[in-house]
Amino acid sequence: MTKLTLGSHPYLLGFEQLERLLERNAKSGNEGYPPFNIEQTSDHSYRITLAVAGFGDEELSITVEDRQLLIRGRQRDEDEGRVFLHRGIAARQFQRSFVLADGVEVAGAALENGLLHVDLERAEPEKMVQTIRINRT
């Protein structure tokens, strides 16, 4: 018995890239830090909010590489000369990744009260009807 995958299903043509994106995202190593929310703000827009308390905007980076949104944080080590009796606030680096569908673009980002908001917009696809001419051979 042959196992059908998304890319090999006979009625889904050209979806091999989607299958590769799903596999890559599953292996990306996203752990539970930092916590985040994803909300739909309208029919064509979304907002990802990450809890990044302690990070300044110069310690955060947002990039899109091959339809993958990467959000990274790395705090500078400014603990020289400080003596901690207890250290419960983590100052660790992180990387979060999200796969973006075709047509979804980053509209902007803002850091507010320890929360990083990344706004996404999806362009409405044009409706197109194409008639294919049949040639005689």
Side-chain angles (χ1 to χ4, degrees), residues 15 23 33 57 59 62 66 75 78 87 89-90 116 135:
F15 284 90
E23 288 175 7
Y33 179 78
D57 56 353
E59 298 168 321
I62 303 169
D66 191 27
Q75 289 181 322
E78 298 178 357
R87 186 160 190 173
I89 301 173
L116 176 64
N135 295 318

Side-chain angles (χ1 to χ4, degrees), residues 90-106:
R92 60 182 172 164
Q93 63 184 6
F94 70 87
Q95 175 176 307
R96 277 275 182 199
S97 63
F98 303 90
V99 176
L100 301 179
D102 286 338
V104 175
E105 302 292 333
V106 176

